[in-house]
Amino acid sequence: MTVTDNGVNVQALLDAREALKGAPEAAQFTWRATSKWDKGVHSTTTIENFYGLGAEQSHKSRTEFAADHPEVFAAEDNGITPIEYLLVGLASCLTAGVASVAQNRGVQLRSVTAVVEGNHDIRGILGDPDVRNGYNDIKVTFNIDADASKEDIEAIVAQSQKRSAVFDALTNPTDVTVEVA
Amino acid sequence: MTVTDNGVNVQALLDAREALKGAPEAAQFTWRATSKWDKGVHSTTTIENFYGLGAEQSHKSRTEFAADHPEVFAAEDNGITPIEYLLVGLASCLTAGVASVAQNRGVQLRSVTAVVEGNHDIRGILGDPDVRNGYNDIKVTFNIDADASKEDIEAIVAQSQKRSAVFDALTNPTDVTVEVA
C-alpha cells in the first residue's frame, strides 16, 4: 500500500482543531499589512508579523508587494492592480484546501492548477453610481490530476470551498473600518 | 501657485470616464490569475494578462506570488498566507484612491501609510461549523502627511473608500463559481 503524501501535515491540523476547542482565545489571529504610497497609484505593501496562539508571530521572511495600475489606466504598471491581489488569495486558498482535503482523504495529488477570472466593470471605480466598484462575479476552474475519480475530485474541491477563508471573505460581507490617525 | 503633483494623471481618468459612458462594452474587464500547486499548502500564482478595452492586454511583466501557511500551522512558510493577500489588495486599493482623489482636489501629498489589520478566528477553517472561515472584521488606519486640514484628509479617505474596488469586494458579497474542468 502506497502512503499518500501531498506534503500536508493533516495530523497536526487535526490536533490543533482539538486543542483550540478548549482554548478559543488562542485561535484569535490578527493578520497585518503595512502599505506605503510611492507615487501616483503605485504603493508597496509589506507583510511580516501577525498575532496568533496568544503571542506575536513572524513569517520566516518579510515580503513586499508592489501594486499599481496598468498602462491602459494611464499609470506605470509597477505592480499588479490591487483587485488582482484578491484573485491571488482566492486561487492559493482553494489550492491549499484541495491539498489538505486530499491528504485527509488519502488521495494522492499529482498536479493541481487553478485559473481564476474576475469580471469587473470599471465604470464603477471611475465614478458611475449605477455600477458596482468590485467584481461582478468570479470563476475558478481547477485542473487536477490525482489518484481519484472525477466525482471524488469534485468532492475534494467542494470541501475546500466549504472551508476556505478567502472564498468566505469574497462571497460574504465583512465589516471594514477605515480611519485616519 | 504650486501645481499639485501626486503622479496621478487625473485628466486621463476623467477622459476615460466620459469615453466609457458611450462605450460600456469597453469598460468590461476580466482580471486573471493562474495558480499552480507546489507541495503541501504551498502554491505559486502567476499574473500577466487581462482583458479590457475590448482586447487582450498584458502587464509590462509577469509576476509570481508564493502562498503557504506559517510554521505555526505546521507548514513551511514559503510565502504569505492566502488570506493576507486580501489585506495587500485592500491597502493598495485605498492608497491608490487617496492619491487619485487628492490629485483631483488639488491636495499635495507628502506621505501616505496604511496599516491594515484583519481579525480571524481560525477555528472556522479548522472545521468548527459555528465559526466563520473568513475575517471577523478588518481595520484600516491611515497616516497621511499632506497640504490639507485633518477634515480635508478625512474627506479624501472617505471618497477613496467610496470608490474602492477592493473595499466593495470585501464588504459586499460576490458570486464565486468553482468548477473542475
Side-chain angles (χ1 to χ4, degrees):
Chain A
M1 181 192 158
T2 311
V3 174
T4 304
D5 183 10
N6 294 323
V8 180
N9 188 340
V10 165
Q11 193 56 51
L13 298 177
L14 295 173
D15 291 348
R17 174 162 72 185
E18 286 309 305
L20 293 175
K21 274 183 188 165
E25 68 289 348
Q28 308 309 313
F29 275 61
T30 301
W31 304 101
R32 295 192 200 105
T34 303
S35 182
K36 190 173 179 310
W37 175 61
D38 293 302
K39 185 194 166 208
V41 292
H42 175 207
S43 65
T44 304
T45 301
T46 304
I47 289 197
E48 182 171 20
N49 302 310
F50 57 93
Y51 179 87
L53 304 180
E56 282 296 315
Q57 309 283 351
S58 289
H59 282 291
K60 281 196 317 198
S61 58
R62 170 192 174 105
T63 320
E64 293 194 341
F65 300 93
D68 202 348
H69 284 174
E71 292 178 322
V72 292
F73 285 7
E76 294 184 358
D77 199 13
N78 290 301
I80 66 168
T81 307
I83 201 167
E84 289 177 294
Y85 277 107
L86 304 186
L87 304 186
V88 177
L90 181 62
S92 56
C93 195
L94 290 170
T95 300
V98 165
S100 302
V101 174
Q103 181 69 36
N104 197 35
R105 297 184 179 185
V107 170
Q108 182 64 49
L109 299 173
R110 282 185 291 266
S111 73
V112 180
T113 59
V115 175
V116 186
E117 297 171 295
N119 291 312
H120 188 207
D121 184 336
I122 66 164
R123 289 177 298 170
I125 55 174
L126 286 170
D128 186 330
D130 298 326
V131 176
R132 184 174 178 182
N133 296 321
Y135 285 119
N136 294 321
D137 53 71
I138 300 173
K139 184 177 178 188
V140 183
T141 308
F142 272 103
N143 262 284
I144 298 178
D145 181 18
D147 282 332
S149 67
K150 178 85 187 283
E151 290 67 32
D152 287 348
I153 290 172
E154 286 175 340
I156 288 168
V157 170
Q159 180 62 25
S160 169
Q161 175 181 324
K162 190 177 169 190
R163 281 293 148 201
S164 165
V166 175
F167 181 86
D168 176 24
L170 294 178
T171 55
N172 294 297
T174 300
D175 184 41
V176 179
T177 309
V178 184
E179 289 178 2
V180 179
Chain B
M1 181 193 159
T2 312
V3 174
T4 304
D5 183 10
N6 295 322
V8 181
N9 188 341
V10 166
Q11 193 55 50
L13 298 177
L14 295 173
D15 291 348
R17 175 162 73 186
E18 286 310 305
L20 293 175
K21 273 183 187 164
E25 68 289 349
Q28 308 309 312
F29 275 61
T30 301
W31 304 100
R32 296 190 200 106
T34 304
S35 183
K36 191 174 178 307
W37 175 60
D38 293 301
K39 186 195 165 207
V41 293
H42 176 206
S43 66
T44 304
T45 301
T46 304
I47 289 197
E48 183 171 17
N49 301 312
F50 57 93
Y51 179 88
L53 304 181
E56 283 295 317
Q57 308 284 350
S58 290
H59 282 291
K60 279 196 316 196
S61 57
R62 170 191 173 107
T63 319
E64 292 193 342
F65 300 93
D68 201 348
H69 284 174
E71 292 178 324
V72 295
F73 285 8
E76 294 184 358
D77 199 12
N78 291 302
I80 67 168
T81 307
I83 201 166
E84 290 177 292
Y85 277 106
L86 304 186
L87 304 186
V88 177
L90 181 62
S92 57
C93 194
L94 289 170
T95 300
V98 165
S100 302
V101 174
Q103 181 70 35
N104 198 35
R105 295 183 180 185
V107 171
Q108 182 64 49
L109 298 173
R110 282 183 291 265
S111 72
V112 180
T113 59
V115 175
V116 185
E117 297 171 295
N119 292 311
H120 188 208
D121 184 336
I122 65 162
R123 289 178 298 169
I125 54 172
L126 287 170
D128 187 330
D130 298 326
V131 176
R132 183 174 180 184
N133 296 321
Y135 285 118
N136 294 323
D137 52 72
I138 299 173
K139 185 178 176 187
V140 183
T141 309
F142 272 103
N143 262 284
I144 298 177
D145 181 19
D147 282 331
S149 67
K150 178 86 186 285
E151 290 66 33
D152 286 348
I153 290 172
E154 286 175 339
I156 289 168
V157 170
Q159 180 62 24
S160 169
Q161 173 181 325
K162 190 176 169 192
R163 281 292 148 203
S164 165
V166 175
F167 180 87
D168 175 25
L170 294 178
T171 55
N172 294 297
T174 301
D175 183 42
V176 179
T177 309
V178 184
E179 289 177 4
V180 179

